Amino acid sequence: MIKAVKGMNDLFGKKAYRWGRMEEDIKTIVQTANFTEFRTPIVEEIALFKRGVGETTDVVQKEMYDFLDKKGRHIAMRPEGTASVVRAFIEHGISINEPAPFKLFYIGPFFRYERPQKGRYRQFHQLGIEIFGDDTPQMDGEMIFTACRVLEHFKIDYEVHINSIGCKECRPVYREKLVEYFSSKKDKLCDDCQKRIETNPLRLLDCKTCNPKEKYQDIPVMTDHLCEICDDHFKKLQKSLEIFHVKGVIDPFIVRGLDYYTRTAFEIVANTGGSQNAVAGGGRYDNLVSDIGGVDTPATGFAMGLERLFDLIPEDFYQPPMISAGYALCEEAVDDLVHFAKHMSHHPVTFFADYKPRKIKKVLQKADRSEISFVFMVGENEVKNKTVLMKNMKTGEQKLYGQHEVILIVRDLMKAEANFLKKNF
Ligand code: AMP
């Protein structure tokens, strides 16, 4: 039997319904905050991720899905969204054509060849937001606040961890301090971290394998080495988060896996105690646009893992839709049911018809199994009298309508739905 590719999931039925509702709610929240949708292709030239995400990152070194196309171009499935958006931002001259700040969001699939486990997949989905053309710490505050708004909507208990990882001026000085500190401890580090001392020493700070931050209490931290401008930026970020009522804890070990961050870095963890509890992360990346060949443009953004978000949303957050269905109880009733289905299609209620004639007992069994709320039946008597029999499956109540009294039917259905939704919120 052919199965889905390892680490990739199918989505259908009730879960797909709840997932769809989750995406709709997210879109409403970010669109209300004036982020507009931005779609980029699933694949890009691999060079974009090498330059944008960083040659020495795990994402690029170990986790990329890449292939040569028929003309021998080296292509990669996108492992994250920022590099693609920056590429498009430059390619379409958005910095010239659109007023700053330019605020956008995306929702879609991403691909990383990681070891699959709960909360970690090879195809996963992210909500991302990016803001171009604004270097203020307050905009970082709003960016983090936007992630919190999404989590608050779904009533999720979370904690925000913030850090500053400095700029081109102060980070190299700090980097030297780190290299010096860890050089004497090299043999206590994992193989990857031994290499990271030379290539990417900041990544030592969040290594889960040899876990230096747990072992050593006196590791130098970036926040003690910020230049005056970065220090001021970080203080103002904290002030704006206070005003937004975002409770952020300073965590000097948030360095983020990707190379492009400057100053603000943050992560949000859900208070579940589970291992895959990082639900969102991001920060400022003021040099990325110019690194990829665009004009110098400050930028900030985050990505939120939708599988992880989905798992945190209580199952009864969304009620299933109220569905009604029409059935024929004999061959002679089928055409009347077609007429009824046509009338119903003009109205905003969820209705479907099942045209295969069945005995009433079978109809009710089937409707019960499909969790139908209202059943409409047309039998011999109904054909004769031009009526339709409605049964409320929850209360057992029955009511006879004229087949053209669709407006009355819809009114009753909508009233029932409003009551149903009110009860459940
Ligand atoms: P990153 O792009 O690595 O900063 O990740 C941002 C968020 O995406 C994380 O906080 C996770 O919630 C989610 N995420 C990252 N990688 C995966 C994965 N392989 N499977 C599921 N979710 C992921």
Side-chain angles (χ1 to χ4, degrees):
M1 188 175 47
I2 299 176
K3 291 191 172 171
V5 173
K6 191 172 173 192
M8 307 206 176
N9 299 308
D10 300 308
L11 183 65
F12 55 92
K14 284 186 189 153
K15 192 169 169 187
Y17 169 77
R18 291 174 52 229
W19 185 284
R21 293 280 308 269
M22 173 185 80
E23 283 194 355
E24 279 166 24
D25 283 8
I26 292 172
K27 277 191 184 171
T28 306
I29 295 164
V30 294
Q31 280 169 339
T32 312
N34 198 31
F35 290 87
T36 55
E37 186 164 14
F38 204 103
R39 296 192 191 196
T40 60
I42 301 282
V43 295
E44 299 276 354
E45 281 186 32
I46 197 166
L48 174 68
F49 300 118
K50 287 191 175 168
R51 249 165 89 184
V53 180
E55 292 263 15
T56 62
T57 58
D58 284 356
V59 165
V60 167
Q61 276 188 350
K62 301 182 192 162
E63 297 168 3
M64 201 94 88
Y65 271 93
D66 60 324
F67 59 92
L68 295 179
D69 76 2
K70 292 192 193 317
K71 282 263 165 67
R73 300 178 194 94
H74 199 170
I75 305 290
M77 315 265 284
R78 60 184 190 183
E80 57 97 58
T82 306
S84 305
V85 167
V86 169
R87 192 263 311 137
F89 180 81
I90 299 166
E91 191 172 331
H92 303 292
I94 293 173
S95 58
I96 300 150
N97 302 326
E98 299 282 343
F102 183 69
K103 296 165 77 181
L104 63 95
F105 78 93
Y106 51 83
I107 291 178
F110 295 88
F111 304 84
R112 292 183 195 171
Y113 197 86
E114 296 191 84
R115 194 168 61 79
Q117 51 188 294
K118 186 165 168 49
R120 191 168 287 286
Y121 308 100
R122 289 182 175 172
Q123 176 175 330
F124 60 99
H125 296 76
Q126 286 184 338
L127 154 73
I129 73 162
E130 317 285 357
I131 303 162
F132 291 97
D134 189 309
D135 62 1
T136 65
Q138 291 76 17
M139 195 53 97
D140 286 348
E142 186 188 306
M143 181 270 294
I144 296 172
F145 174 59
T146 306
C148 297
R149 281 178 70 179
V150 173
L151 298 174
E152 303 261 329
H153 171 78
F154 294 110
K155 309 205 177 347
I156 287 164
D157 190 18
Y158 62 87
E159 198 166 74
V160 181
H161 293 228
I162 57 166
N163 190 20
S164 173
I165 54 171
C167 65
K168 277 181 174 163
E169 301 301 319
C170 51
R171 203 183 319 160
V173 181
Y174 169 65
R175 197 186 137 112
E176 280 314 306
K177 284 249 152 63
L178 262 191
V179 173
E180 206 181 293
Y181 179 85
F182 280 111
S183 293
S184 60
K185 302 173 173 60
K186 206 166 174 177
D187 52 342
K188 308 237 166 46
L189 301 174
C190 67
D191 288 352
D192 276 345
C193 279
Q194 293 196 5
K195 282 185 217 127
R196 282 178 187 137
I197 293 190
E198 266 97 58
T199 58
N200 201 345
L202 260 73
R203 288 304 313 278
L204 277 161
L205 300 180
D206 68 353
C207 174
K208 305 269 184 310
T209 313
C210 57
N211 218 347
K213 74 174 177 193
E214 298 292 327
K215 279 192 203 134
Y216 307 107
Q217 305 310 312
D218 56 347
I219 302 174
V221 292
M222 185 72 233
T223 38
D224 290 339
H225 295 85
L226 295 174
C227 62
E228 219 173 292
I229 300 172
C230 287
D231 191 50
D232 182 58
H233 197 278
F234 193 42
K235 287 201 173 97
K236 286 180 174 152
L237 165 69
Q238 291 168 56
K239 176 86 192 292
S240 70
L241 288 177
E242 241 175 76
I243 299 171
F244 278 124
H245 280 284
V246 171
K247 272 187 255 118
V249 292
I250 297 177
D251 180 345
F253 298 108
I254 297 288
V255 289
R256 311 285 304 134
L258 320 176
D259 263 2
Y260 47 61
Y261 291 103
T262 45
R263 295 193 179 134
T264 307
F266 85 102
E267 263 176 36
I268 301 184
V269 291
N271 293 328
T272 57
S275 59
Q276 304 300 331
N277 61 351
V279 63
R284 177 160 285 286
Y285 50 95
D286 287 347
N287 304 318
L288 186 60
V289 179
S290 55
D291 283 355
I292 296 185
V295 290
D296 221 358
T297 310
T300 188
F302 73 76
M304 182 178 287
L306 295 191
E307 280 77 5
R308 295 192 193 172
L309 174 66
F310 185 83
D311 286 346
L312 293 166
I313 299 174
E315 204 151 310
D316 59 358
F317 191 84
Y318 293 116
Q319 298 303 323
M322 221 187 63
I323 299 173
S324 53
Y327 295 89
L329 302 180
C330 58
E331 191 61 49
E332 296 71 42
V334 172
D335 283 350
D336 281 32
L337 180 60
V338 176
H339 276 292
F340 184 66
K342 192 191 117 206
H343 287 305
M344 288 295 272
S345 73
H346 298 305
H347 300 278
V349 290
T350 308
F351 172 86
F352 73 89
D354 185 338
Y355 301 104
K356 205 176 170 79
R358 284 188 184 83
K359 295 253 173 348
I360 189 158
K361 200 169 148 209
K362 280 264 171 305
V363 163
L364 295 177
Q365 273 172 1
K366 209 167 179 302
D368 203 36
R369 259 206 4 244
S370 314
E371 296 178 30
I372 308 280
S373 302
F374 291 90
V375 171
F376 292 89
M377 290 169 286
V378 189
E380 238 172 80
N381 280 338
E382 284 73 23
V383 172
K384 219 185 297 158
N385 303 323
K386 288 277 158 222
T387 54
V388 53
L389 182 65
M390 172 170 105
K391 186 176 171 96
N392 181 331
M393 294 297 283
K394 287 227 166 68
T395 62
E397 220 180 313
Q398 297 199 138
K399 199 166 170 183
L400 208 57
Y401 286 98
Q403 280 180 17
H404 291 285
E405 288 181 321
V406 173
I407 284 292
L408 292 181
I409 294 174
V410 167
R411 198 194 60 195
D412 283 357
L413 289 180
M414 290 176 79
K415 219 173 357 178
E417 179 158 16
N419 279 337
F420 169 76
L421 290 176
K422 224 187 294 163
K423 255 185 241 155
N424 287 286
F425 274 100

